[in-house]
Amino acid sequence: MDIRRLTDRLGGLAFGGDYNPEQWDAEVWKEDDELMHRARVNLATVGVFSWALLEPEEGRYDFDWLDAHLDRLHAAGVAVDLATPTASPPPWFTLAHPDALPVGPDGTRLTHGSRDTYCLTAPAYRRAARRVAAALAERYGDHPALALWHVHNEYVTLCWCDHTAAAFRVWLRARHGTLEALNEAWATAFWSQRYTSWEQILPPRQSQWHRNPGQSLDYSRFWSDETLAAYREQRDAIRAHSDRPVTTNLMLPGYQNLDLWAFGREVDVVCVNHYPDAPGVDAAAHAAFDADRARSIAGGAPWLLMESGTNTVYAGGRVLAKEPGDILRHSLAHVARGSEGTLFFQWRQSRAGAEQWHSSMVPHAGPDSRTFREVTAAGEAVARLGELAGSTVRAEVAVLHDSDAWWAMKVDGLPSPDLEYVPALRRAHRALWDAGLTVDFAHPEHDLGRYRVVLAPALFLLTDAGAENLRRYVADGGTLLVQHFSGVVDERLHARLGGYPAAPLREALGVRVEEHRPLRQGERITLSDGSTATAWSESLRTEGAETLAAYTHGMLDGGPALTRHDFGGGHGWYLSTRLDDSGYAALVGRLLREAGVTPDLPDLPAGVEAVTRHAPDGRSWHLLLNHRSEAVPLPRPSHDLLTDGPLAALPPGGCAVLRT
Ligand code: GLA
């Protein structure tokens, strides 16, 4: 396990962040060494945006400055996560290769002057990326400071240029084989869209009205595969010169158009970035959501939080300050869910430039600041948790995630703007998190046998194999909740005929959906059990299921809204509308009760988060985060690693890591 090599190298969990010393001078570097020591920094990500310095002109490298920083960091006891700089090509590159600048769906070609101004499919860009990755690997492949390779930075840029069109056609030929098959898949018989040669096919550029949905979905799949290919090229160029683990930093959907399951299989260590998007307890829920996804992508193995916002929360276009104690609480929220440490963006707040207002470990005010004091406290805390390295987290409940289903919900022409993918996953996760549970994410075709409860909040697209897998899961004793607008189309976006959802799943749920009835903007309906709902309703009939709540409005009056079916050894639940939060929480609570799922530490009050990490040798630790403003007595006093002593109560807002 490559993450184990990293923690062995570090002698414990990782603590640190992105380090961009090229913004500063020798005096500051000296202070950096001293402050990193104070904050217990043991890992720094270097070189993410250094292309212009590393290769000032095509093919001429200047490594002296980087040699000096790597040697200095090594002398200071800080290991290096060395990045390839390919997320930010320098101006000379784009002037020499204007065809490598990205083009938007409307045909506008972007210019340099920001970052991420590249097209992944441009041959000149790919050549340059391989070249600079190989040059770095040749020079630093066995540098004693080097602990990890960091390819690129958050692969994010999409493109619709002619290079992309050519690459898309190659991908389409491999997927569909013949033009007939493509025409059939994309349903080009409608609107006179039939293709008679491959050259006629374009990426889904801006058009007069709805773009072809099959074309849009295939473009998303293609772009993810293309990104993976670009990653692999750099990874393999590095591996030719270095035996250190290689990774890239993921930003979970919807920022990147990537199939995260596929990336999880290709990186040596799953690394993710997390930027909270709400203050208070919502930030903790968001951290748990991203951390649970990261662990799931890693197949349950330990992973690493590669970047996080040090002391700020991005909410509604505003950069809000974190509450006192959040730096540690947020860090431990990730560690609790399997992260082998915590890293921030960035070490020292930029004095000027594009991210000058992004909070950092050392703020503009310097070390005499609340931020640096809290960073130092977090560093000390993480340093005490070395014995957790290699331990893992177990979950009895899962939420289904499939990139195809996500991309399918982004195509033009769906019946309501209220249909949503990522928010639906977050609501499902939040209901389980509020119930005190640790949650896995799983693909609909994964083996789900280890989960007592599975939620499928947004599976618009579901393959035959997925539908059969879910049927079998219920038959074998599982409890499955499927939510509205699921199992509606297959992998080509062709509607399931004869009633939704896909036939094998219908069998497990004991319902047949006849028609969708989207609600009007702002419309709120009340169901027969008093719960309220918005956005969506469906006309369905039961085929063996029992109706637990019925519609009470309009032409659906009396029709089933929420159903439950005893099928084989398990239970298939179907919710055909979007319940408001309290009704949804009550429903999820009922499923959990009936399936006998309880939190790891059931006696804790609401607002105290508890996750258990298990070592292969049987040791385990409870990580507790108190989101309440009063102290919470613990069921029994235990040894706390953070204070290295017995702990009888969690302080207000406090954290603990208890040996069990
Ligand atoms: C992302 C990037 C970083 C930085 C941070 C903060 O995660 O990877 O380079 O821009 O966001 O904005």
Side-chain angles (χ1 to χ4, degrees):
M1 202 168 40
D2 286 296
I3 184 82
R4 196 65 216 225
R5 283 176 65 201
L6 178 68
T7 48
D8 284 351
R9 162 81 174 71
L10 299 177
L13 303 191
F15 188 77
D18 278 53
Y19 183 41
N20 299 300
E22 56 269 45
Q23 302 177 101
W24 302 97
D25 57 23
E27 209 167 302
V28 176
W29 300 334
K30 222 168 108 208
E31 193 192 42
D32 287 341
D33 291 346
E34 193 250 316
L35 296 181
M36 283 191 189
H37 181 72
R38 258 164 70 184
R40 313 289 294 255
V41 167
N42 60 9
L43 185 63
T45 300
V46 176
V48 173
F49 299 121
S50 303
W51 198 342
L53 276 192
L54 277 172
E55 194 183 2
E57 61 188 74
E58 188 145 4
R60 182 172 71 77
Y61 296 101
D62 177 3
F63 290 121
D64 293 351
W65 66 275
L66 189 55
D67 290 351
H69 287 306
L70 260 55
D71 294 347
R72 179 172 57 82
L73 287 165
H74 184 56
V78 177
V80 168
D81 164 37
L82 185 58
T84 66
T86 52
S88 205
W92 64 254
F93 174 80
T94 54
L95 289 174
H97 306 283
D99 63 310
L101 282 163
V103 174
D106 65 349
T108 306
R109 193 178 286 280
L110 303 184
T111 59
H112 62 249
S114 178
R115 66 185 231 195
D116 294 285
T117 47
Y118 56 84
C119 167
L120 274 182
T121 66
Y125 172 77
R126 287 283 269 275
R127 266 197 312 276
R130 285 193 300 269
R131 196 183 58 223
V132 70
L136 276 169
E138 214 176 332
R139 179 123 188 146
Y140 299 110
D142 54 9
H143 192 285
L146 181 70
L148 185 64
W149 283 102
H150 177 299
V151 169
H152 202 86
N153 186 62
E154 293 178 341
Y155 279 104
V156 72
T157 311
L158 285 94
C159 184
W160 287 260
C161 74
D162 290 344
H163 291 306
T164 297
F168 187 37
R169 288 175 201 130
V170 171
W171 185 94
L172 289 169
R173 272 180 197 257
R175 181 172 178 94
H176 295 283
T178 63
L179 265 185
E180 282 64 36
L182 178 141
N183 277 308
E184 166 69 16
W186 290 8
T188 58
F190 196 54
W191 279 8
S192 187
Q193 291 179 344
R194 187 171 176 76
Y195 295 102
T196 53
S197 90
W198 291 98
E199 284 61 44
Q200 296 164 357
I201 302 173
L202 298 170
R205 294 180 180 157
Q206 197 163 302
S207 197
Q208 198 278 336
W209 196 31
H210 292 333
R211 286 157 302 180
N212 181 292
Q215 181 187 11
S216 296
L217 174 59
D218 272 352
Y219 172 78
S220 295
R221 289 170 168 147
F222 149 75
W223 198 263
S224 178
D225 286 355
E226 192 65 32
T227 309
L228 200 51
Y231 166 76
R232 277 200 213 99
E233 281 175 16
Q234 286 204 40
R235 181 197 64 191
D236 296 347
I238 289 168
R239 279 187 182 160
H241 303 282
S242 181
D243 67 350
R244 313 292 153 89
V246 185
T247 190
T248 184
N249 52 348
L250 300 168
M251 198 54 175
L252 303 174
Y255 187 64
Q256 292 175 300
N257 181 92
L258 299 181
D259 175 8
L260 297 171
W261 299 118
F263 258 85
R265 290 189 288 271
E266 298 283 342
V267 293
D268 294 334
V269 177
V270 167
C271 292
V272 304
N273 299 347
H274 171 80
Y275 289 89
D277 61 5
V281 80
D282 293 339
H286 187 203
F289 178 72
D290 275 1
D292 282 337
R293 281 199 299 177
R295 184 186 63 255
S296 303
I297 296 159
W303 54 280
L304 184 60
L305 176 67
M306 181 57 88
E307 284 179 31
S308 56
T310 310
N311 205 11
T312 44
V313 166
Y314 287 94
R318 288 177 174 75
V319 185
L320 307 179
K322 285 190 180 178
E323 296 295 317
D326 273 348
I327 292 181
L328 179 61
R329 276 192 299 274
H330 293 180
S331 298
L332 293 188
H334 290 90
V335 171
R337 291 176 173 78
S339 177
E340 297 287 62
T342 182
L343 290 94
F344 301 94
F345 184 88
Q346 58 180 328
W347 163 251
R348 194 179 272 277
Q349 187 168 7
S350 303
R351 182 169 19 194
E355 298 208 69
Q356 104 191 90
W357 306 115
H358 193 278
S359 96
S360 303
M361 298 167 79
V362 183
H364 288 155
D368 183 11
S369 57
R370 172 169 82 86
T371 297
F372 188 69
R373 278 187 286 277
E374 288 202 26
V375 163
T376 305
E380 278 162 11
V382 170
R384 291 172 181 268
L385 303 182
E387 66 187 63
L388 269 65
S391 58
T392 54
V393 175
R394 298 174 192 157
E396 291 187 313
V397 298
V399 174
L400 297 184
H401 163 62
D402 176 14
S403 303
D404 273 2
W406 167 45
W407 294 326
M409 286 183 77
K410 299 211 289 191
V411 303
D412 295 340
L414 293 187
S416 167
D418 297 329
L419 290 166
E420 48 187 19
Y421 186 79
V422 177
L425 261 65
R426 281 185 70 170
R427 288 182 81 227
H429 181 274
R430 178 66 186 257
L432 295 166
W433 184 80
D434 281 338
L437 298 175
T438 306
V439 183
D440 273 356
F441 288 84
H443 188 276
E445 293 176 31
H446 282 170
D447 178 2
L448 302 171
R450 86 184 94 133
Y451 302 115
R452 316 257 297 264
V453 170
V454 170
L455 306 188
L459 279 185
F460 166 47
L461 179 155
L462 181 65
T463 61
D464 290 347
E468 173 53 28
N469 193 44
L470 297 183
R471 190 198 69 82
R472 198 170 336 113
Y473 168 69
V474 180
D476 291 348
T479 294
L480 172 70
L481 172 66
V482 175
Q483 293 173 223
H484 67 275
F485 203 57
S486 283
V488 171
V489 295
D490 66 13
E491 65 273 25
R492 300 187 307 170
L493 287 176
H494 290 205
R496 300 290 182 176
L497 302 180
Y500 321 115
L505 181 54
R506 228 161 55 214
E507 210 186 307
L509 301 177
V511 297
R512 177 171 174 274
V513 177
E514 216 172 285
E515 271 184 315
H516 298 138
R517 300 214 184 275
L519 297 177
R520 280 180 292 242
Q521 189 176 11
E523 186 177 358
R524 173 162 273 110
I525 56 172
T526 302
L527 305 184
S528 59
D529 64 355
S531 57
T532 51
T534 58
W536 195 260
S537 61
E538 292 176 354
S539 161
L540 62 140
R541 68 166 188 244
T542 55
E543 293 185 340
E546 116 192 59
T547 297
L548 301 176
Y551 289 109
T552 63
H553 73 292
M555 62 181 127
L556 295 183
D557 192 12
L562 171 68
T563 62
R564 176 184 188 277
H565 189 215
D566 299 333
F567 180 72
H571 309 283
W573 296 67
Y574 187 65
L575 172 63
S576 64
T577 183
R578 191 166 85 194
L579 283 180
D580 287 335
D581 287 347
S582 62
Y584 187 63
L587 170 61
V588 170
R590 181 170 171 189
L591 257 78
L592 297 172
R593 260 194 320 280
E594 290 191 13
V597 181
T598 50
D600 283 354
L601 290 175
D603 300 331
L604 292 172
V608 180
E609 202 175 338
V611 185
T612 308
R613 281 185 68 150
H614 302 266
D617 62 8
R619 287 171 307 152
S620 60
W621 302 264
H622 296 309
L623 287 91
L624 304 183
L625 314 177
N626 185 5
H627 302 299
R628 299 166 70 100
S629 45
E630 67 271 17
V632 174
L634 295 172
R636 59 189 165 80
S638 312
H639 184 87
D640 172 33
L641 300 188
L642 298 179
T643 49
D644 197 19
L647 194 73
L650 268 177
C655 305
V657 181
L658 306 179
R659 266 192 206 125
T660 64

